[in-house]
Amino acid sequence: MTTITIRMPEDVIEDLKRIAPLLGFSGYQPLARAYIGQGLRVDLERLEGDHVSELVASLRRHGVSDDVLQAALQEVIKPVANGLSDS
């Protein structure tokens, strides 16, 4: 882990502190990390998904069968960590 300093509105911190225990987090910082990680994963999936679609289309044009493509995608696309986790 790397230590950072980030400025956030006080009301956001207070809300994080209030809901962290309700969601099973040990404090507001793990919850903030989870929210940041979750948002990052969504954006990465969206941005990288475009490249994956282009790659799949290219492989199809090169004669790779749909069965092979589906099997390969199933190997690579694992379920994303279930929701938020206290990490």
Side-chain angles (χ1 to χ4, degrees):
M1 293 262 230
T2 299
T3 301
I4 66 164
T5 301
I6 184 170
R7 297 172 83 53
M8 295 182 72
E10 287 182 29
D11 66 312
V12 171
I13 298 298
E14 291 306 314
D15 287 343
L16 287 168
K17 287 179 180 179
R18 185 172 51 85
I19 67 166
L22 300 174
L23 294 174
F25 287 85
S26 60
Y28 77 95
Q29 290 178 341
L31 178 57
R33 282 193 299 270
Y35 281 140
I36 292 168
Q38 184 180 45
L40 177 61
R41 284 189 297 276
V42 167
D43 284 344
L44 284 172
E45 183 178 325
R46 180 177 53 85
L47 295 171
E48 291 174 351
D50 294 341
H51 295 299
V52 171
S53 297
E54 292 173 20
L55 176 61
V56 168
S58 176
L59 290 170
R60 279 193 177 114
R61 287 192 300 273
H62 285 84
V64 176
S65 73
D66 283 341
D67 290 340
V68 171
L69 290 171
Q70 285 299 322
L73 287 170
Q74 290 302 317
E75 278 181 29
V76 174
I77 300 173
K78 303 288 183 197
V80 177
N82 294 331
L84 300 173
S85 64
D86 190 1
S87 54

Coordinates of all heavy atoms in Angstrom, one line a residue:
M1 N 0.8 -1.2 0.0 CA 0.0 0.0 0.0 C 0.9 1.2 0.0 O 2.0 1.2 0.5 CB -0.9 0.0 1.2 CG -1.9 -1.0 1.3 SD -3.4 -0.4 0.7 CE -4.5 -0.9 2.0
T2 N 0.4 2.3 -0.6 CA 1.1 3.6 -0.6 C 0.2 4.6 0.1 O -1.0 4.6 0.0 CB 1.3 4.1 -2.1 OG1 2.1 3.1 -2.7 CG2 1.9 5.4 -2.1
T3 N 0.8 5.4 0.9 CA 0.1 6.5 1.6 C -0.1 7.7 0.7 O 0.9 8.1 0.1 CB 0.9 6.9 2.9 OG1 1.0 5.7 3.7 CG2 0.1 8.0 3.7
I4 N -1.3 8.2 0.7 CA -1.6 9.4 -0.1 C -2.3 10.4 0.8 O -2.9 10.0 1.8 CB -2.4 9.2 -1.4 CG1 -3.8 8.6 -1.0 CG2 -1.7 8.2 -2.3 CD1 -4.8 8.7 -2.2
T5 N -2.4 11.6 0.4 CA -3.2 12.6 1.1 C -4.2 13.1 0.0 O -3.8 13.5 -1.1 CB -2.3 13.8 1.6 OG1 -1.4 13.3 2.5 CG2 -3.2 14.8 2.3
I6 N -5.4 13.2 0.4 CA -6.5 13.6 -0.5 C -7.4 14.5 0.3 O -7.8 14.2 1.4 CB -7.2 12.4 -1.1 CG1 -8.3 12.9 -2.2 CG2 -7.9 11.6 -0.1 CD1 -8.9 11.8 -3.0
R7 N -7.8 15.7 -0.3 CA -8.7 16.6 0.3 C -10.1 16.2 -0.1 O -10.4 16.1 -1.3 CB -8.4 18.0 -0.1 CG -7.0 18.4 0.4 CD -6.5 19.7 -0.1 NE -6.9 20.9 0.6 CZ -6.8 21.2 1.9 NH1 -6.3 20.3 2.7 NH2 -7.2 22.4 2.4
M8 N -11.0 16.1 0.9 CA -12.4 15.7 0.6 C -13.3 16.6 1.5 O -12.9 17.0 2.6 CB -12.6 14.2 0.9 CG -11.8 13.3 0.0 SD -12.2 11.6 0.3 CE -13.8 11.4 -0.3
P9 N -14.5 16.9 1.0 CA -15.4 17.7 1.8 C -15.7 17.0 3.1 O -15.8 15.7 3.1 CB -16.7 17.8 0.9 CG -16.2 17.5 -0.5 CD -15.0 16.6 -0.4
E10 N -15.8 17.7 4.1 CA -16.1 17.2 5.5 C -17.4 16.3 5.5 O -17.4 15.3 6.2 CB -16.2 18.3 6.5 CG -14.9 18.9 6.8 CD -15.0 20.0 7.9 OE1 -15.9 19.9 8.8 OE2 -14.1 20.9 7.9
D11 N -18.4 16.8 4.8 CA -19.7 16.0 4.8 C -19.5 14.7 4.2 O -20.2 13.7 4.6 CB -20.8 16.8 4.1 CG -20.6 17.1 2.6 OD1 -19.5 17.5 2.2 OD2 -21.6 16.8 1.9
V12 N -18.6 14.5 3.2 CA -18.4 13.2 2.5 C -17.7 12.3 3.6 O -18.1 11.1 3.7 CB -17.5 13.4 1.3 CG1 -17.1 12.0 0.7 CG2 -18.3 14.1 0.2
I13 N -16.7 12.8 4.3 CA -16.0 12.0 5.3 C -17.0 11.6 6.4 O -17.0 10.4 6.8 CB -14.9 12.8 5.9 CG1 -13.8 13.1 4.9 CG2 -14.2 12.0 7.1 CD1 -13.2 11.9 4.2
E14 N -17.9 12.5 6.8 CA -18.9 12.2 7.8 C -19.8 11.1 7.3 O -20.2 10.2 8.1 CB -19.6 13.4 8.3 CG -18.8 14.4 9.1 CD -18.1 13.8 10.3 OE1 -18.7 13.0 11.0 OE2 -16.9 14.0 10.4
D15 N -20.3 11.2 6.1 CA -21.1 10.2 5.5 C -20.4 8.8 5.4 O -21.0 7.8 5.7 CB -21.6 10.6 4.1 CG -22.7 11.7 4.2 OD1 -23.2 11.9 5.3 OD2 -22.9 12.3 3.2
L16 N -19.2 8.8 5.0 CA -18.4 7.6 5.0 C -18.3 7.0 6.4 O -18.4 5.8 6.5 CB -17.0 7.9 4.4 CG -16.9 8.1 2.9 CD1 -15.5 8.7 2.6 CD2 -17.2 6.9 2.1
K17 N -18.0 7.8 7.4 CA -17.9 7.3 8.7 C -19.2 6.7 9.2 O -19.2 5.7 9.9 CB -17.4 8.4 9.7 CG -16.0 8.8 9.5 CD -15.7 10.0 10.5 CE -14.2 10.4 10.3 NZ -13.9 11.5 11.2
R18 N -20.3 7.3 8.8 CA -21.6 6.9 9.3 C -22.0 5.5 8.6 O -22.5 4.7 9.3 CB -22.6 8.0 8.9 CG -24.0 7.7 9.4 CD -25.0 8.9 9.2 NE -25.0 9.4 7.9 CZ -25.7 8.9 6.8 NH1 -26.5 7.9 7.0 NH2 -25.7 9.5 5.6
I19 N -21.7 5.4 7.3 CA -22.2 4.2 6.7 C -21.2 3.0 6.7 O -21.5 1.9 6.5 CB -22.7 4.4 5.3 CG1 -21.6 4.8 4.3 CG2 -23.8 5.4 5.2 CD1 -22.0 4.8 2.9
A20 N -19.9 3.3 6.9 CA -18.9 2.2 6.9 C -19.3 1.1 7.8 O -19.3 -0.1 7.3 CB -17.5 2.8 7.3
P21 N -19.6 1.3 9.1 CA -20.0 0.1 9.9 C -21.2 -0.6 9.4 O -21.4 -1.8 9.6 CB -20.1 0.7 11.3 CG -20.2 2.2 11.2 CD -19.6 2.5 9.8
L22 N -22.2 0.2 8.8 CA -23.4 -0.5 8.4 C -23.1 -1.4 7.2 O -23.9 -2.4 7.0 CB -24.4 0.6 7.9 CG -24.8 1.6 9.0 CD1 -25.7 2.7 8.4 CD2 -25.5 0.9 10.1
L23 N -22.0 -1.1 6.4 CA -21.7 -2.0 5.3 C -20.6 -3.0 5.7 O -20.1 -3.7 4.8 CB -21.1 -1.1 4.2 CG -22.2 -0.2 3.5 CD1 -21.5 0.7 2.5 CD2 -23.3 -1.0 2.9
G24 N -20.2 -3.1 7.0 CA -19.3 -4.1 7.5 C -17.8 -3.7 7.4 O -17.0 -4.5 7.4
F25 N -17.6 -2.4 7.2 CA -16.2 -1.9 7.1 C -15.7 -1.5 8.5 O -16.4 -1.0 9.3 CB -16.1 -0.7 6.1 CG -16.2 -1.2 4.7 CD1 -17.5 -1.3 4.1 CD2 -15.1 -1.4 3.9 CE1 -17.6 -1.7 2.8 CE2 -15.2 -1.8 2.6 CZ -16.5 -2.0 2.0
S26 N -14.4 -1.6 8.7 CA -13.8 -1.3 10.0 C -13.6 0.2 10.2 O -13.4 0.6 11.3 CB -12.4 -2.0 10.1 OG -11.5 -1.6 9.1
G27 N -13.8 0.9 9.1 CA -13.6 2.4 9.2 C -13.9 3.0 7.9 O -14.2 2.3 6.9
Y28 N -13.8 4.4 7.8 CA -14.2 5.1 6.6 C -13.1 4.9 5.5 O -13.4 5.0 4.3 CB -14.5 6.5 6.9 CG -13.3 7.4 7.1 CD1 -12.8 8.2 6.1 CD2 -12.7 7.5 8.4 CE1 -11.7 9.0 6.3 CE2 -11.7 8.3 8.6 CZ -11.1 9.1 7.6 OH -10.0 9.9 7.8
Q29 N -11.9 4.8 5.9 CA -10.8 4.7 4.9 C -10.9 3.4 4.1 O -10.8 3.5 2.8 CB -9.4 4.8 5.6 CG -9.2 6.3 6.1 CD -7.9 6.4 6.8 OE1 -7.2 5.4 7.2 NE2 -7.4 7.7 6.9
P30 N -11.1 2.2 4.7 CA -11.3 1.1 3.8 C -12.5 1.2 2.9 O -12.5 0.8 1.7 CB -11.6 -0.1 4.8 CG -10.9 0.4 6.1 CD -11.1 1.9 6.1
L31 N -13.6 1.9 3.4 CA -14.8 2.1 2.5 C -14.4 3.0 1.4 O -14.8 2.8 0.2 CB -15.9 2.7 3.3 CG -17.2 3.0 2.5 CD1 -17.7 1.8 1.8 CD2 -18.2 3.6 3.5
A32 N -13.7 4.1 1.6 CA -13.2 5.0 0.6 C -12.4 4.3 -0.4 O -12.5 4.5 -1.7 CB -12.5 6.2 1.2
R33 N -11.4 3.4 0.0 CA -10.6 2.7 -0.9 C -11.5 1.7 -1.8 O -11.2 1.6 -3.0 CB -9.6 1.8 -0.1 CG -8.4 2.6 0.4 CD -7.3 1.7 0.8 NE -7.7 0.8 2.0 CZ -7.5 1.2 3.2 NH1 -7.0 2.4 3.6 NH2 -7.9 0.3 4.2
A34 N -12.5 1.1 -1.1 CA -13.4 0.2 -1.9 C -14.1 1.0 -3.0 O -14.2 0.5 -4.1 CB -14.3 -0.5 -0.9
Y35 N -14.6 2.2 -2.6 CA -15.4 3.0 -3.6 C -14.4 3.4 -4.8 O -14.8 3.3 -5.9 CB -15.9 4.3 -3.0 CG -17.2 4.0 -2.2 CD1 -17.4 4.7 -1.0 CD2 -18.2 3.2 -2.7 CE1 -18.6 4.5 -0.3 CE2 -19.4 3.0 -2.0 CZ -19.6 3.7 -0.8 OH -20.8 3.5 -0.1
I36 N -13.2 3.8 -4.4 CA -12.3 4.2 -5.5 C -11.9 3.0 -6.4 O -12.0 3.1 -7.6 CB -11.0 4.8 -4.9 CG1 -11.3 6.2 -4.2 CG2 -9.9 5.0 -5.9 CD1 -10.2 6.7 -3.3
G37 N -11.7 1.9 -5.7 CA -11.3 0.7 -6.5 C -12.5 0.2 -7.4 O -12.3 -0.2 -8.5
Q38 N -13.7 0.3 -6.8 CA -14.9 -0.1 -7.6 C -15.1 0.8 -8.8 O -15.3 0.3 -9.9 CB -16.1 -0.1 -6.7 CG -17.3 -0.6 -7.4 CD -18.5 -0.5 -6.5 OE1 -18.7 0.5 -5.8 NE2 -19.3 -1.6 -6.4
G39 N -15.0 2.1 -8.6 CA -15.1 3.0 -9.8 C -14.0 2.8 -10.8 O -14.3 2.8 -12.0
L40 N -12.8 2.6 -10.3 CA -11.7 2.3 -11.3 C -11.9 1.1 -12.1 O -11.7 1.1 -13.3 CB -10.4 2.2 -10.5 CG -9.1 1.9 -11.3 CD1 -8.9 3.0 -12.3 CD2 -7.9 1.7 -10.3
R41 N -12.4 0.0 -11.4 CA -12.6 -1.3 -12.1 C -13.7 -1.1 -13.2 O -13.6 -1.6 -14.3 CB -13.0 -2.4 -11.2 CG -11.8 -3.0 -10.4 CD -12.2 -4.2 -9.7 NE -13.1 -4.0 -8.6 CZ -12.9 -3.5 -7.4 NH1 -11.6 -3.3 -7.1 NH2 -13.8 -3.3 -6.5
V42 N -14.7 -0.3 -12.9 CA -15.8 -0.1 -13.9 C -15.2 0.7 -15.1 O -15.5 0.3 -16.2 CB -17.0 0.8 -13.2 CG1 -17.9 1.3 -14.3 CG2 -17.7 -0.1 -12.2
D43 N -14.5 1.7 -14.8 CA -13.9 2.5 -15.9 C -12.9 1.6 -16.7 O -12.9 1.7 -18.0 CB -13.2 3.7 -15.5 CG -14.2 4.8 -15.1 OD1 -15.4 4.7 -15.5 OD2 -13.8 5.8 -14.4
L44 N -12.1 0.8 -16.1 CA -11.1 0.0 -16.8 C -11.8 -1.0 -17.6 O -11.5 -1.3 -18.8 CB -10.2 -0.7 -15.8 CG -9.1 0.1 -15.2 CD1 -8.4 -0.7 -14.1 CD2 -8.1 0.6 -16.2
E45 N -12.9 -1.6 -17.1 CA -13.6 -2.6 -17.9 C -14.3 -1.9 -19.1 O -14.2 -2.5 -20.2 CB -14.7 -3.2 -17.0 CG -15.5 -4.3 -17.7 CD -16.6 -4.9 -16.8 OE1 -16.3 -5.1 -15.6 OE2 -17.6 -5.3 -17.3
R46 N -14.8 -0.8 -18.9 CA -15.4 0.0 -20.0 C -14.4 0.3 -21.1 O -14.6 0.1 -22.3 CB -16.1 1.2 -19.5 CG -16.8 2.0 -20.6 CD -17.5 3.3 -20.0 NE -16.6 4.1 -19.2 CZ -15.8 5.1 -19.7 NH1 -15.8 5.3 -21.0 NH2 -15.1 5.8 -18.9
L47 N -13.3 0.8 -20.7 CA -12.2 1.2 -21.6 C -11.5 0.1 -22.3 O -11.3 0.1 -23.5 CB -11.2 2.2 -20.9 CG -11.8 3.5 -20.4 CD1 -10.8 4.2 -19.6 CD2 -12.2 4.3 -21.6
E48 N -11.2 -0.9 -21.5 CA -10.5 -2.1 -22.0 C -11.5 -3.0 -22.8 O -11.1 -3.7 -23.7 CB -9.8 -2.9 -20.9 CG -8.7 -2.1 -20.3 CD -8.0 -2.8 -19.1 OE1 -8.6 -3.8 -18.6 OE2 -7.0 -2.4 -18.7
G49 N -12.8 -2.9 -22.4 CA -13.8 -3.7 -23.2 C -13.8 -3.3 -24.6 O -14.0 -4.2 -25.5
D50 N -13.6 -2.1 -24.9 CA -13.6 -1.6 -26.3 C -12.5 -2.3 -27.1 O -12.6 -2.8 -28.2 CB -13.4 -0.1 -26.4 CG -14.6 0.7 -25.8 OD1 -15.7 0.1 -25.7 OD2 -14.4 1.9 -25.5
H51 N -11.3 -2.5 -26.4 CA -10.2 -3.1 -27.1 C -10.4 -4.6 -27.2 O -10.1 -5.2 -28.2 CB -8.9 -2.9 -26.3 CG -8.4 -1.5 -26.2 ND1 -8.1 -0.8 -27.4 CD2 -8.3 -0.7 -25.2 CE1 -7.7 0.4 -27.0 NE2 -7.8 0.5 -25.7
V52 N -11.1 -5.2 -26.2 CA -11.4 -6.6 -26.3 C -12.4 -6.9 -27.5 O -12.2 -7.8 -28.2 CB -12.0 -7.1 -25.0 CG1 -12.5 -8.5 -25.1 CG2 -10.9 -7.1 -23.9
S53 N -13.4 -6.0 -27.6 CA -14.3 -6.2 -28.7 C -13.6 -6.1 -30.1 O -13.9 -6.9 -31.0 CB -15.4 -5.1 -28.7 OG -16.2 -5.3 -27.5
E54 N -12.7 -5.2 -30.2 CA -11.9 -5.0 -31.4 C -11.1 -6.3 -31.7 O -11.0 -6.7 -32.8 CB -11.0 -3.8 -31.4 CG -11.8 -2.5 -31.4 CD -10.9 -1.3 -31.1 OE1 -9.7 -1.4 -31.3 OE2 -11.4 -0.2 -30.7
L55 N -10.4 -6.8 -30.6 CA -9.6 -8.0 -30.8 C -10.5 -9.2 -31.2 O -10.1 -9.9 -32.1 CB -8.9 -8.3 -29.5 CG -8.1 -9.6 -29.4 CD1 -7.0 -9.5 -30.5 CD2 -7.5 -9.8 -28.1
V56 N -11.6 -9.4 -30.6 CA -12.5 -10.5 -30.9 C -12.9 -10.4 -32.4 O -12.9 -11.3 -33.1 CB -13.7 -10.5 -30.0 CG1 -14.8 -11.5 -30.5 CG2 -13.3 -10.9 -28.6
A57 N -13.3 -9.2 -32.8 CA -13.7 -9.0 -34.2 C -12.6 -9.3 -35.2 O -12.8 -10.0 -36.2 CB -14.2 -7.5 -34.4
S58 N -11.4 -8.9 -34.8 CA -10.2 -9.2 -35.6 C -9.9 -10.7 -35.7 O -9.6 -11.2 -36.8 CB -9.0 -8.5 -35.1 OG -7.8 -8.8 -35.8
L59 N -10.0 -11.4 -34.6 CA -9.8 -12.8 -34.6 C -10.8 -13.5 -35.4 O -10.5 -14.5 -36.1 CB -9.8 -13.3 -33.1 CG -8.6 -12.9 -32.3 CD1 -8.8 -13.2 -30.8 CD2 -7.3 -13.5 -32.8
R60 N -12.1 -13.1 -35.3 CA -13.1 -13.7 -36.2 C -12.8 -13.5 -37.7 O -13.0 -14.4 -38.5 CB -14.5 -13.0 -35.9 CG -15.2 -13.6 -34.7 CD -16.6 -13.1 -34.6 NE -17.2 -13.7 -33.4 CZ -17.7 -13.1 -32.4 NH1 -17.6 -11.7 -32.3 NH2 -18.2 -13.7 -31.4
R61 N -12.3 -12.3 -38.0 CA -11.9 -12.1 -39.4 C -10.8 -13.0 -39.9 O -10.6 -13.3 -41.0 CB -11.5 -10.6 -39.6 CG -12.7 -9.6 -39.6 CD -12.3 -8.2 -40.1 NE -11.3 -7.6 -39.3 CZ -11.5 -6.9 -38.2 NH1 -12.8 -6.7 -37.8 NH2 -10.5 -6.4 -37.5
H62 N -10.0 -13.4 -38.9 CA -8.8 -14.3 -39.2 C -9.2 -15.7 -39.0 O -8.3 -16.6 -39.0 CB -7.7 -13.9 -38.3 CG -6.9 -12.7 -38.7 ND1 -7.4 -11.4 -38.3 CD2 -5.9 -12.5 -39.5 CE1 -6.6 -10.5 -38.8 NE2 -5.6 -11.1 -39.5
G63 N -10.5 -16.0 -38.9 CA -11.0 -17.4 -38.9 C -11.0 -18.1 -37.6 O -11.3 -19.3 -37.6
V64 N -10.9 -17.4 -36.5 CA -11.0 -18.1 -35.2 C -12.5 -18.3 -34.9 O -13.3 -17.4 -35.1 CB -10.4 -17.2 -34.1 CG1 -10.6 -17.9 -32.7 CG2 -8.9 -17.0 -34.4
S65 N -12.8 -19.5 -34.6 CA -14.2 -19.9 -34.4 C -14.8 -19.3 -33.1 O -14.1 -18.9 -32.2 CB -14.4 -21.4 -34.3 OG -13.9 -21.9 -33.0
D66 N -16.1 -19.1 -33.1 CA -16.8 -18.6 -32.0 C -16.6 -19.5 -30.8 O -16.5 -18.9 -29.6 CB -18.3 -18.4 -32.3 CG -18.6 -17.2 -33.1 OD1 -17.7 -16.3 -33.2 OD2 -19.7 -17.1 -33.7
D67 N -16.6 -20.8 -30.9 CA -16.4 -21.7 -29.8 C -15.0 -21.4 -29.1 O -14.9 -21.4 -27.9 CB -16.4 -23.1 -30.3 CG -17.8 -23.6 -30.6 OD1 -18.8 -22.9 -30.2 OD2 -17.9 -24.6 -31.4
V68 N -14.0 -21.2 -29.9 CA -12.7 -21.0 -29.4 C -12.7 -19.6 -28.7 O -12.1 -19.4 -27.6 CB -11.6 -21.0 -30.5 CG1 -10.2 -20.5 -30.0 CG2 -11.5 -22.4 -31.0
L69 N -13.3 -18.6 -29.3 CA -13.3 -17.3 -28.7 C -14.1 -17.3 -27.4 O -13.6 -16.7 -26.4 CB -14.0 -16.3 -29.7 CG -13.2 -15.9 -30.9 CD1 -14.1 -15.1 -31.9 CD2 -12.0 -15.1 -30.5
Q70 N -15.2 -18.0 -27.3 CA -16.0 -18.1 -26.1 C -15.2 -18.8 -25.0 O -15.2 -18.3 -23.8 CB -17.3 -18.8 -26.3 CG -18.3 -18.0 -27.1 CD -18.7 -16.7 -26.3 OE1 -18.8 -16.7 -25.1 NE2 -18.9 -15.7 -27.0
A71 N -14.5 -19.8 -25.3 CA -13.7 -20.5 -24.3 C -12.6 -19.7 -23.8 O -12.3 -19.6 -22.6 CB -13.1 -21.8 -25.0
A72 N -11.9 -18.9 -24.7 CA -10.8 -18.0 -24.3 C -11.4 -16.9 -23.4 O -10.8 -16.6 -22.4 CB -10.1 -17.5 -25.5
L73 N -12.5 -16.3 -23.8 CA -13.1 -15.2 -23.0 C -13.5 -15.7 -21.6 O -13.3 -15.0 -20.6 CB -14.3 -14.6 -23.7 CG -13.9 -13.7 -24.9 CD1 -15.2 -13.4 -25.7 CD2 -13.2 -12.5 -24.5
Q74 N -14.0 -16.9 -21.5 CA -14.4 -17.5 -20.2 C -13.2 -17.7 -19.3 O -13.3 -17.5 -18.1 CB -15.2 -18.8 -20.4 CG -16.5 -18.7 -21.0 CD -17.4 -17.8 -20.2 OE1 -17.5 -17.8 -19.0 NE2 -18.2 -16.9 -20.9
E75 N -12.1 -18.0 -19.9 CA -10.8 -18.2 -19.1 C -10.4 -16.8 -18.6 O -9.9 -16.8 -17.4 CB -9.7 -18.7 -20.0 CG -9.7 -20.2 -20.2 CD -8.5 -20.6 -21.0 OE1 -7.5 -19.9 -21.0 OE2 -8.6 -21.6 -21.7
V76 N -10.5 -15.8 -19.4 CA -10.0 -14.5 -19.0 C -10.9 -13.7 -18.1 O -10.5 -13.0 -17.2 CB -9.6 -13.7 -20.3 CG1 -9.2 -12.3 -20.0 CG2 -8.6 -14.4 -21.1
I77 N -12.2 -13.7 -18.5 CA -13.2 -12.9 -17.8 C -13.7 -13.7 -16.5 O -14.6 -14.5 -16.6 CB -14.4 -12.5 -18.7 CG1 -13.9 -11.8 -19.9 CG2 -15.4 -11.7 -17.9 CD1 -14.9 -11.5 -20.9
K78 N -13.0 -13.4 -15.4 CA -13.4 -14.0 -14.2 C -14.4 -13.0 -13.5 O -14.4 -11.8 -13.7 CB -12.2 -14.2 -13.3 CG -11.1 -15.0 -13.9 CD -11.5 -16.5 -13.9 CE -10.4 -17.3 -14.5 NZ -10.7 -18.5 -15.0
P79 N -15.3 -13.6 -12.6 CA -16.2 -12.7 -11.9 C -15.4 -11.6 -11.2 O -14.4 -12.0 -10.5 CB -16.9 -13.6 -11.0 CG -16.8 -14.9 -11.6 CD -15.5 -15.0 -12.3
V80 N -15.7 -10.4 -11.3 CA -15.1 -9.3 -10.6 C -15.4 -9.5 -9.1 O -16.4 -10.0 -8.7 CB -15.6 -7.9 -11.0 CG1 -15.0 -6.8 -10.2 CG2 -15.4 -7.7 -12.5
A81 N -14.4 -9.1 -8.2 CA -14.6 -9.3 -6.8 C -16.0 -8.9 -6.4 O -16.5 -7.9 -6.8 CB -13.6 -8.4 -6.1
N82 N -16.7 -9.7 -5.7 CA -18.1 -9.5 -5.3 C -18.3 -8.2 -4.5 O -17.9 -8.2 -3.4 CB -18.6 -10.7 -4.5 CG -18.7 -12.0 -5.3 OD1 -18.8 -11.9 -6.5 ND2 -18.6 -13.1 -4.7
G83 N -18.8 -7.2 -5.2 CA -19.1 -6.0 -4.6 C -17.9 -5.4 -3.9 O -16.8 -5.5 -4.3
L84 N -18.2 -4.7 -2.8 CA -17.1 -4.0 -2.0 C -16.6 -5.0 -1.0 O -17.3 -5.8 -0.4 CB -17.8 -2.8 -1.3 CG -18.4 -1.8 -2.2 CD1 -19.1 -0.8 -1.3 CD2 -17.4 -1.1 -3.0
S85 N -15.3 -4.9 -0.8 CA -14.6 -5.7 0.2 C -13.8 -4.9 1.1 O -13.3 -3.8 0.7 CB -13.8 -6.8 -0.4 OG -12.7 -6.3 -1.1
D86 N -13.6 -5.3 2.3 CA -12.9 -4.5 3.3 C -11.4 -4.8 3.2 O -10.8 -5.5 3.9 CB -13.3 -4.9 4.7 CG -12.8 -4.0 5.8 OD1 -12.1 -3.0 5.5 OD2 -13.1 -4.2 7.0
S87 N -10.8 -4.2 2.1 CA -9.4 -4.4 1.8 C -8.7 -3.1 1.7 O -9.2 -2.0 1.5 CB -9.1 -5.2 0.6 OG -9.8 -4.6 -0.5

